[in-house]
Amino acid sequence: MTSCSALKTVRIDGGFWGRLMEVNRRVTLPIEHMQCRQSGRIEAFKLDWRPGEPNPPHIFWDSDVAKWIEAAAYSLAAYPDAELEASLDAVVDLVAGAQQEDGYLNVHFTVVEPEKRWTNLRDLHELYCAGHLMEAAVACWEALGKRRLLEVMCRYADYIGTVFGPGEEQKHGYPGHEEIELALVKLHHATGEKRYLEMARYFVDARGTQPNYFEVEAVARGEQPKSYWARTYEYTQAHLPVREQSTVVGHSVRAMYLYCGMTDVAALTGDRALMDACHRLWRNVIDRRMHITGGLGPVQANEGFTTDFDLPNEGAYLETCAAVGLALWAWRLLQAELDGEYADTLERALFNGTISGVSQDGERFFYGNPLAVHPGFDGNGRYVSDDYHYRRSEWFGCACCPPNIARLIAQLPTFLYSTHEERLAVHLYAASQSELEVAGQKVRVVQETDYPWDGRVTITISPEREAELMLALRIPSWCRDATLSLNGERVDAAPITAMGYVRLRRVWKGGDRLVLELPMPVERIEAHPAVRQDGGRIALQRGPIVYCLEEVDNGARLNDLILAAEPEFAVEHGSEGILEGVPLIRGRASRRDPAAWRKGLYRPLVPRSRQSCSFTAIPYYLWANRQPGEMVVWINHES
Amino acid sequence: MTSCSALKTVRIDGGFWGRLMEVNRRVTLPIEHMQCRQSGRIEAFKLDWRPGEPNPPHIFWDSDVAKWIEAAAYSLAAYPDAELEASLDAVVDLVAGAQQEDGYLNVHFTVVEPEKRWTNLRDLHELYCAGHLMEAAVACWEALGKRRLLEVMCRYADYIGTVFGPGEEQKHGYPGHEEIELALVKLHHATGEKRYLEMARYFVDARGTQPNYFEVEAVARGEQPKSYWARTYEYTQAHLPVREQSTVVGHSVRAMYLYCGMTDVAALTGDRALMDACHRLWRNVIDRRMHITGGLGPVQANEGFTTDFDLPNEGAYLETCAAVGLALWAWRLLQAELDGEYADTLERALFNGTISGVSQDGERFFYGNPLAVHPGFDGNGRYVSDDYHYRRSEWFGCACCPPNIARLIAQLPTFLYSTHEERLAVHLYAASQSELEVAGQKVRVVQETDYPWDGRVTITISPEREAELMLALRIPSWCRDATLSLNGERVDAAPITAMGYVRLRRVWKGGDRLVLELPMPVERIEAHPAVRQDGGRIALQRGPIVYCLEEVDNGARLNDLILAAEPEFAVEHGSEGILEGVPLIRGRASRRDPAAWRKGLYRPLVPRSRQSCSFTAIPYYLWANRQPGEMVVWINHES
């Protein structure tokens, strides 16, 4: 789980992450606060909505506000801002004031449909909202030392604990949209109260057991369980007990949050069978169901997964929240086991499919993050009108994604390091200054780097006093020729590298200086042969950054552009606007001349009709920030 | 329009069309009769359904029965079959018996919702059903000399003529689903009654004028026109007066039927502006919106068109009826103007995207005809379940396609020839014996050929007496090296070829023998550079036949198969089952070995990791007749 202490001890100013975090706190957080207010989400906690009035508080509004609180708290931990803090305190006051006498706290089910409290866990997001408010409460406490919301949410959690559980008098339910599992583990972590971990374990274990609670609940509502609109309990990962699951199915955000909770519970309770299920699910998603951007869930129909190797480009759904969820899950697995594959996936999501969800000016958001778009068609590949362009939006009726990407960006410093006994692991590279607690003493760690644009990382390690520590430096799997030097001496890393980390056990003293070189040639990436959407295509990647072609740089008809079999790439830095200082990939390719076509759509192939052309690829996460037009990630190439 | 006389004078036995026609009459027509009976469609004409009973007659049931009548009549014209004729007569009796005193004839609006008669032309298919029954009536009359249904439908048409028209007392409506326009022209043709042509012209001209009738009608029903479920009158081609239309839009079958009617009216009335609109619409569909199979309408959402150059493969809708409609429209334009482009398109549809709609055993039908499928996904590209395969169905709730393909196949002989004064045009090649009326005398025309499997066509022309006639022989645009000989002497065709036809004006005498050689090398076809779905891909075509790859012949992962830049193709004839005697295209390609992949979905390109492999392509129209699996038409290739 997130260790909020890192927000105060790891400082990222400037550089790639620094810029994103600055836009996040200066632009995105105030905008989201304004949107939550204007849409009524915040005022709703006053509980003054009355039947018959317009704009009834929606079942998931609480969660949007909760994620904003969480994001604001993370940001304030390192970057004090009196105005933002005042907003935060005011919102927390409103939320706290909405708690009922019995501890219950949910706007919709207090003022709109009180008779439906706990009647439809499958669809109505009640426990999901509770979970997000718990995360917000823990963030306020751990990041800012503000205890009010924590107390409110402990009261709510305790009430929930009376309602749900294995006892005869309790409902044997669990959420249709997972979230409370991981949140209860955070609550346990923040309070030390074992009972919250027990509740998390209960919710994890109850899921998918027979009789299926969602059926029991539907019958109690007088409904036919078979008339379930989603048709399958795979939608909520409730088709099987979680320990028996091996395939990631259904709604992708729900899936990721569940797996986070499973991993937390498994790690904290030493539950091997549960961790085995996590590992099986991980293998399935990583080996068969993840887009190259870390995007998950290709179709809108279930906002989720389909089948192995089905990774469409145009029309792919790939909700921002799902990539956020993948990052959070990867981080949890990485805490349980120092395996570079988890950090590679965390990095893949962080540099590509998550941050594509917010515009560079911080003002607009993507819900879906397709890997190709064509004018006239929406993000799901459906024709809208000839002059339509899929662009980021200012807000959504279902606004889960904007505050989710905001809270992810605000907590980026927490992902750089982790410590375990005398081991200090460096997972991600970013210009930063940190003071970490390792084996009982403070260790100052300074990273100097222009990562991810440049692969040279200088790390200075300064423990308060000389000490034997094990430093584990991640070697990203995308890098094939990493070199390392310590105080100017080359280190033979191979013998001391395991699971993607160079492990340097030695006595460290103030000012020890490591230089890690991670060469970043432009790589042509191919997808598994079973991915039918990427046959005959490659994606360009440099370091952890996946690239794309946009029409604004390359003209239209991007799918007619074919890379040569042995291309030469030039990496040139952009000079203006959002591309300033950004490495662009340039090279030559070929395409046909549409002007050379007579009438008609089809003709016998004219093999030498292709003309040489140049192309410019930009990082995928930067797409849709300039003139709209076509975009593709997977590019045809000569084989 | 179809000249039913050809059904008696052009005899196709054996060969490609002969086999299809035989299966059509021996299997498909009886099956469809059975399906229409079992589903209640035929019995419904007894008008004994009563409110509250199950299975109420649906608004479009009449049209399904009508198309079956039409198909049966065409078939019986050349191939007497006492049982089929008895079925036909019985059905016609029932239909005739359903006519109301005022001439009205529609089962649904007689027994289910009589209060809604003529209240919703936009959605309720009333005039569409009338049109199909008119076509059926003309078929019974022209093909079989049976007059009963013709009289019934003239009475109905006359009644319709009192309800709709430009008069002050009349409704200024027109159908939401076009069909009656072309049917009224047929009725005019069969009866000589000018008023039916006038009605057709009225319906064509009224469409899309202001105030929009569908809005007027919606207001009269108490509805908000803006709440129209289809959102745009483009759906019914009623967004503009037809003379102002230039882009094929909306529901593709409706569009084709409208254009048929427009072309009929324009040709018969010499309406240049209307014919100009037909030509503009033709250019748009042929140059920008037609799949290589002659399939039309890529998306299910509107069962129709999207935008220029949007020609998806997997998930493409391409309703069988739309390709049928394209064939019928191309035929009409060809009658108006002897231009090989119309015959090329007719042929494209006839050999590919229409007949793919029925299985080789004649028992199962496709509604949609995608150009690629993947196990687990339906014809519209939506994930169903891992063990799902998109296959033809025995019948549909909305069963327009099965009788449509049946009536098309039954009328194939009508498409071979047309005559105009002393000109005899040969449009399509098929083993056949015909006795045609040209310039006042009978001309016997015998074609000997194994077309489309072989490009050698021997045509013997035997007029009753020597006569100067102009024979126009189509040279298909797919053929680049046609040669022609007459009575053993090579004919220099170039100087006498215009608009895709060799025009031989001479005095013909009994037994004059033409040999046309149409070489059929395997062609790699490329799509226009703006077709993003086909970038880097080619389709294989031989003669008029478009080929595809199926998993049963080539294994899975067809999208990873890449044709070499300079491939060698072998044409080998299949030896068993549906492939017996069918030319198959074989050659070599390359693909990757999935077994050589470590875990994970992505890796840096290994350029020489591709293994040589063989492939076998079969005609597209034959797909989905054997074991299910992947199918692709557009194949990746080295450029």
Side-chain angles (χ1 to χ4, degrees):
Chain A
M1 74 214 75
T2 304
S3 168
C4 286
S5 60
L7 293 166
K8 285 170 279 192
T9 58
V10 178
R11 180 128 195 140
I12 300 176
D13 287 315
F16 188 95
W17 289 137
R19 204 200 135 272
L20 276 183
M21 290 168 66
E22 186 176 349
V23 171
N24 192 49
R25 64 179 179 266
R26 288 199 197 283
V27 181
T28 306
L29 286 175
I31 278 182
E32 292 183 354
H33 180 251
M34 179 271 290
Q35 291 283 7
C36 281
R37 281 188 58 192
Q38 289 190 351
S39 62
R41 281 165 167 77
I42 290 174
E43 299 290 300
F45 282 98
K46 291 184 178 168
L47 304 181
D48 54 6
W49 182 88
R50 293 292 170 267
E53 291 180 4
N55 200 28
H58 195 278
I59 54 166
F60 45 60
W61 275 10
D62 298 11
S63 68
D64 299 331
V65 176
K67 275 185 282 190
W68 179 84
I69 294 172
E70 187 186 346
Y74 293 155
S75 185
L76 287 167
Y79 304 93
D81 176 327
E83 198 173 336
L84 184 61
E85 186 166 357
S87 297
L88 176 71
D89 290 342
V91 173
V92 166
D93 277 350
L94 278 178
V95 172
Q99 186 161 42
Q100 302 298 294
E101 287 208 358
D102 58 2
Y104 188 75
L105 207 180
N106 182 300
V107 172
H108 179 89
F109 294 99
T110 299
V111 300
V112 184
E113 299 187 296
E115 73 285 3
K116 290 196 180 169
R117 186 196 286 194
W118 308 134
T119 60
N120 187 350
L121 297 190
R122 190 188 73 192
D123 299 333
L124 298 183
H125 291 56
E126 229 167 338
L127 292 172
Y128 166 81
C129 287
H132 274 303
L133 283 167
M134 289 174 196
E135 283 203 273
V138 171
C140 290
W141 165 240
E142 293 194 343
L144 303 176
K146 292 177 188 280
R147 206 172 166 84
R148 177 154 192 218
L149 195 55
L150 186 70
E151 284 166 3
V152 165
M153 291 313 296
C154 284
R155 238 187 102 203
Y156 188 13
D158 291 337
Y159 162 68
I160 290 172
T162 67
V163 177
F164 297 98
E168 266 189 36
E169 304 298 301
Q170 290 173 298
K171 292 176 187 285
H172 306 321
Y174 45 88
H177 196 315
E178 301 91 326
E179 156 65 20
I180 198 169
E181 302 85 347
L182 72 87
L184 283 163
V185 174
K186 281 191 174 182
L187 210 56
H188 157 68
H189 189 261
T191 61
E193 294 290 350
K194 192 95 180 162
R195 66 178 181 278
Y196 299 133
L197 177 59
E198 284 306 316
M199 284 173 68
R201 178 150 72 171
Y202 166 75
F203 282 129
V204 165
D205 280 344
R207 177 167 296 274
T209 55
Q210 289 300 329
N212 187 296
Y213 181 76
F214 296 150
E215 286 201 10
V216 172
E217 189 192 55
V219 169
R221 288 195 304 273
E223 294 170 12
Q224 290 290 335
K226 286 203 195 285
S227 67
Y228 178 31
W229 62 272
R231 289 184 305 160
T232 164
Y233 293 120
E234 288 193 353
Y235 177 70
T236 56
Q237 299 80 41
H239 56 302
L240 281 176
V242 297
R243 281 174 175 70
E244 295 170 29
Q245 295 188 24
S246 300
T247 309
V248 301
V249 295
H251 189 283
S252 54
V253 183
R254 299 177 196 227
M256 290 304 116
Y257 289 3
L258 168 64
Y259 307 152
C260 284
M262 286 166 63
T263 304
D264 283 341
V265 169
L268 282 170
T269 63
D271 185 332
R272 197 64 235 169
L274 189 57
M275 192 60 95
D276 286 347
C278 293
H279 287 155
R280 289 194 308 271
L281 292 161
W282 176 263
R283 281 264 64 79
N284 180 244
V285 75
I286 298 304
D287 292 349
R288 302 183 171 212
R289 297 184 178 220
M290 177 185 70
H291 279 67
I292 192 171
T293 54
L296 299 182
V299 295
Q300 189 192 35
N302 65 348
E303 299 190 286
F305 296 101
T306 55
T307 186
D308 286 348
F309 301 110
D310 179 41
L311 300 165
N313 295 306
E314 189 176 331
Y317 196 66
L318 310 182
E319 182 178 342
T320 303
C321 289
V324 169
L326 178 64
L328 298 176
W329 185 29
W331 174 251
R332 281 165 170 79
L333 287 165
L334 185 59
Q335 301 316 297
E337 190 178 0
L338 190 68
D339 182 336
E341 190 182 36
Y342 302 128
D344 288 338
T345 302
L346 171 65
E347 186 177 66
R348 184 189 291 280
L350 290 182
F351 282 104
N352 302 288
T354 56
I355 59 173
S356 58
V358 58
S359 62
Q360 284 300 291
D361 61 14
E363 294 181 355
R364 288 170 175 266
F365 308 94
F366 270 145
Y367 205 102
N369 296 270
L371 268 63
V373 294
H374 195 81
F377 296 81
D378 70 11
N380 302 309
R382 277 190 297 255
Y383 176 63
V384 179
S385 65
D386 282 8
D387 56 358
Y388 175 85
H389 292 281
Y390 179 61
R391 306 306 308 267
R392 295 184 185 80
S393 300
E394 290 184 2
W395 195 243
F396 306 98
C398 176
C400 48
C401 296
N404 219 351
I405 185 63
R407 72 173 180 147
L408 184 79
I409 290 175
Q411 72 186 278
L412 283 171
T414 64
F415 299 131
L416 263 57
Y417 303 104
S418 57
T419 59
H420 179 70
E421 297 172 351
E422 86 296 344
R423 187 183 75 197
L424 165 60
V426 187
H427 305 300
L428 297 177
Y429 301 107
S432 55
Q433 307 190 12
S434 309
E435 196 156 87
L436 306 168
E437 187 92 16
V438 190
Q441 70 158 310
K442 283 200 168 21
V443 179
R444 184 168 165 77
V445 183
V446 176
Q447 290 193 40
E448 295 164 86
T449 181
D450 194 24
Y451 196 92
W453 301 142
D454 185 83
R456 183 183 174 90
V457 187
T458 301
I459 304 175
T460 313
I461 308 281
S462 306
E464 286 176 312
R465 54 186 183 280
E466 287 190 12
E468 182 172 322
L469 302 173
M470 198 245 261
L471 187 75
L473 277 184
R474 172 172 161 259
I475 308 299
S477 67
W478 54 257
C479 184
R480 292 191 274 185
D481 302 296
T483 57
L484 180 65
S485 70
L486 172 59
N487 297 326
E489 303 266 317
R490 175 74 174 265
V491 176
D492 181 9
I496 52 171
T497 299
M499 309 287 274
Y501 285 79
V502 183
R503 290 156 203 247
L504 285 161
R505 180 181 293 279
R506 65 188 288 276
V507 175
W508 295 86
K509 59 179 191 301
D512 277 340
R513 192 159 175 272
L514 286 155
V515 178
L516 182 62
E517 293 276 4
L518 301 168
M520 291 182 169
V522 176
E523 297 274 12
R524 290 176 295 164
I525 305 296
E526 59 184 331
H528 190 282
V531 181
R532 67 192 187 283
Q533 293 94 349
D534 297 336
R537 294 170 184 266
I538 56 91
L540 296 175
Q541 187 172 332
R542 181 175 177 275
I545 303 285
V546 174
Y547 279 69
C548 70
L549 301 180
E550 276 199 303
E551 184 174 337
V552 60
D553 301 308
N554 300 287
R557 297 177 300 280
L558 295 180
N559 258 321
D560 195 47
L561 188 143
I562 298 189
L563 286 182
E566 297 186 1
E568 287 179 17
F569 298 113
V571 176
E572 297 170 17
H573 288 74
S575 58
E576 58 183 27
I578 59 147
L579 299 182
E580 189 177 337
V582 172
L584 311 178
I585 301 175
R586 296 212 158 106
R588 302 211 53 89
S590 69
R591 61 203 313 172
R592 290 173 289 170
D593 177 11
W597 272 69
R598 298 179 314 125
K599 69 182 185 183
L601 275 166
Y602 307 104
R603 71 175 186 193
L605 177 66
V606 183
R608 279 162 299 280
S609 71
R610 304 191 68 84
Q611 305 172 313
S612 176
C613 67
S614 62
F615 73 86
T616 298
I618 69 163
Y620 168 77
Y621 80 90
L622 286 174
W623 87 277
N625 277 286
R626 298 172 296 159
Q627 287 109 288
E630 296 178 27
M631 183 276 287
V632 298
V633 168
W634 290 93
I635 308 166
N636 283 301
H637 75 112
E638 298 176 19
S639 56
Chain B
M1 76 215 71
T2 304
S3 169
C4 287
S5 62
L7 294 166
K8 286 171 278 195
T9 57
V10 178
R11 179 127 197 143
I12 300 176
D13 288 316
F16 187 96
W17 289 138
R19 205 201 134 271
L20 275 184
M21 291 168 65
E22 186 177 348
V23 171
N24 192 49
R25 66 181 179 268
R26 288 198 198 283
V27 181
T28 306
L29 286 175
I31 278 181
E32 292 183 354
H33 180 251
M34 179 272 289
Q35 290 284 7
C36 282
R37 282 187 56 192
Q38 288 190 350
S39 62
R41 280 164 168 79
I42 291 173
E43 300 288 303
F45 282 97
K46 291 184 179 167
L47 304 180
D48 55 5
W49 183 88
R50 292 293 170 268
E53 291 181 4
N55 200 28
H58 194 276
I59 54 166
F60 46 59
W61 275 10
D62 297 13
S63 68
D64 300 331
V65 176
K67 277 185 282 190
W68 179 83
I69 294 172
E70 187 186 347
Y74 293 154
S75 185
L76 287 167
Y79 304 93
D81 176 327
E83 198 174 336
L84 183 61
E85 186 167 358
S87 296
L88 176 71
D89 290 342
V91 172
V92 166
D93 278 349
L94 277 178
V95 172
Q99 187 161 41
Q100 302 298 293
E101 288 208 356
D102 57 2
Y104 187 76
L105 206 179
N106 182 301
V107 172
H108 179 88
F109 293 99
T110 299
V111 301
V112 184
E113 299 187 295
E115 74 286 2
K116 291 196 179 168
R117 188 196 286 194
W118 308 133
T119 59
N120 186 349
L121 297 189
R122 190 189 70 190
D123 299 332
L124 298 183
H125 291 56
E126 231 167 337
L127 292 171
Y128 166 81
C129 286
H132 273 303
L133 283 167
M134 290 173 195
E135 283 203 272
V138 172
C140 289
W141 167 241
E142 292 194 341
L144 304 176
K146 292 178 188 279
R147 205 171 165 83
R148 176 153 193 218
L149 194 55
L150 187 69
E151 285 166 1
V152 165
M153 291 313 297
C154 285
R155 239 187 101 202
Y156 188 15
D158 292 337
Y159 161 68
I160 290 171
T162 66
V163 177
F164 297 98
E168 268 190 34
E169 304 298 302
Q170 289 173 298
K171 292 176 187 285
H172 305 322
Y174 45 87
H177 195 315
E178 303 91 326
E179 155 66 20
I180 197 169
E181 302 86 346
L182 73 88
L184 284 163
V185 174
K186 282 190 174 182
L187 210 56
H188 157 69
H189 190 260
T191 62
E193 294 291 350
K194 192 93 180 164
R195 64 179 182 277
Y196 300 133
L197 176 59
E198 284 306 317
M199 284 174 67
R201 177 150 73 172
Y202 166 75
F203 282 130
V204 164
D205 280 345
R207 177 168 297 274
T209 55
Q210 289 298 329
N212 187 296
Y213 181 76
F214 297 150
E215 286 201 9
V216 173
E217 189 192 56
V219 169
R221 289 194 305 272
E223 294 171 11
Q224 290 290 335
K226 288 203 194 280
S227 67
Y228 179 30
W229 63 272
R231 290 184 303 160
T232 165
Y233 294 119
E234 288 193 353
Y235 177 70
T236 58
Q237 300 79 40
H239 57 301
L240 280 175
V242 296
R243 281 173 176 70
E244 296 171 29
Q245 296 188 22
S246 300
T247 309
V248 302
V249 294
H251 189 283
S252 54
V253 182
R254 299 176 196 229
M256 291 303 117
Y257 288 3
L258 168 65
Y259 307 152
C260 285
M262 286 167 62
T263 304
D264 284 341
V265 169
L268 282 169
T269 64
D271 185 333
R272 197 63 235 169
L274 190 57
M275 193 59 95
D276 286 347
C278 292
H279 287 154
R280 290 194 307 272
L281 291 162
W282 177 261
R283 281 265 61 80
N284 179 244
V285 73
I286 298 304
D287 292 350
R288 300 180 173 215
R289 297 184 178 220
M290 177 185 70
H291 278 68
I292 192 171
T293 54
L296 299 182
V299 294
Q300 189 192 34
N302 64 348
E303 298 190 288
F305 296 101
T306 55
T307 187
D308 286 348
F309 301 112
D310 179 41
L311 300 165
N313 295 306
E314 189 176 330
Y317 196 65
L318 309 182
E319 182 178 342
T320 303
C321 289
V324 169
L326 177 65
L328 299 175
W329 184 29
W331 174 250
R332 282 164 170 80
L333 287 165
L334 185 61
Q335 301 316 295
E337 191 178 359
L338 192 68
D339 182 335
E341 190 182 37
Y342 303 128
D344 288 338
T345 302
L346 172 65
E347 187 178 66
R348 185 188 291 281
L350 290 182
F351 282 105
N352 301 289
T354 56
I355 59 173
S356 58
V358 58
S359 61
Q360 284 299 292
D361 61 14
E363 295 181 355
R364 287 169 175 266
F365 309 95
F366 271 144
Y367 205 103
N369 295 269
L371 268 63
V373 295
H374 195 83
F377 295 80
D378 69 13
N380 301 308
R382 278 191 297 257
Y383 177 63
V384 179
S385 64
D386 282 7
D387 57 357
Y388 176 85
H389 292 280
Y390 179 62
R391 307 304 308 266
R392 295 183 184 82
S393 300
E394 291 184 2
W395 195 244
F396 305 99
C398 176
C400 48
C401 296
N404 219 351
I405 185 63
R407 71 175 181 146
L408 184 80
I409 291 173
Q411 71 186 278
L412 283 171
T414 65
F415 300 130
L416 263 56
Y417 303 104
S418 58
T419 61
H420 178 70
E421 297 173 353
E422 84 297 343
R423 186 184 74 197
L424 165 59
V426 187
H427 306 300
L428 297 177
Y429 301 107
S432 55
Q433 308 190 10
S434 310
E435 197 157 87
L436 306 167
E437 188 93 14
V438 191
Q441 69 157 311
K442 285 202 166 22
V443 180
R444 185 169 165 77
V445 183
V446 176
Q447 290 192 40
E448 295 164 87
T449 181
D450 194 24
Y451 195 91
W453 301 143
D454 185 82
R456 182 183 175 90
V457 187
T458 301
I459 304 175
T460 313
I461 309 283
S462 308
E464 284 175 312
R465 50 186 187 281
E466 287 191 11
E468 182 173 322
L469 302 173
M470 198 245 259
L471 187 76
L473 277 184
R474 171 172 162 261
I475 308 298
S477 67
W478 55 257
C479 184
R480 293 191 272 186
D481 303 295
T483 58
L484 180 64
S485 70
L486 172 59
N487 296 327
E489 304 266 318
R490 176 73 173 263
V491 177
D492 181 10
I496 53 170
T497 300
M499 308 286 276
Y501 284 79
V502 183
R503 290 154 202 250
L504 286 160
R505 180 181 294 279
R506 64 188 287 276
V507 175
W508 296 87
K509 58 180 192 300
D512 277 339
R513 191 160 176 273
L514 287 155
V515 178
L516 180 64
E517 292 275 5
L518 301 168
M520 292 182 168
V522 176
E523 297 273 14
R524 289 176 295 163
I525 306 296
E526 58 183 332
H528 190 284
V531 181
R532 67 192 187 283
Q533 294 93 350
D534 298 336
R537 293 169 185 266
I538 56 92
L540 296 174
Q541 188 172 332
R542 181 175 176 274
I545 303 286
V546 175
Y547 279 70
C548 70
L549 302 180
E550 277 198 301
E551 183 175 336
V552 59
D553 301 308
N554 300 286
R557 295 177 301 279
L558 296 178
N559 258 320
D560 194 47
L561 189 143
I562 298 188
L563 286 181
E566 297 187 1
E568 288 181 15
F569 297 113
V571 176
E572 297 171 17
H573 287 73
S575 58
E576 58 184 29
I578 60 148
L579 298 181
E580 189 177 337
V582 171
L584 312 178
I585 301 176
R586 297 212 157 105
R588 304 214 48 92
S590 69
R591 62 202 313 173
R592 290 173 288 170
D593 178 9
W597 273 69
R598 298 180 314 125
K599 69 181 183 183
L601 275 165
Y602 307 105
R603 71 174 187 193
L605 177 66
V606 182
R608 279 164 297 280
S609 72
R610 304 192 67 84
Q611 304 171 314
S612 176
C613 66
S614 61
F615 73 86
T616 298
I618 69 162
Y620 169 76
Y621 80 89
L622 286 174
W623 87 277
N625 277 286
R626 297 172 296 160
Q627 287 108 287
E630 295 178 28
M631 182 276 288
V632 298
V633 169
W634 290 93
I635 308 167
N636 284 302
H637 75 111
E638 297 175 21
S639 56

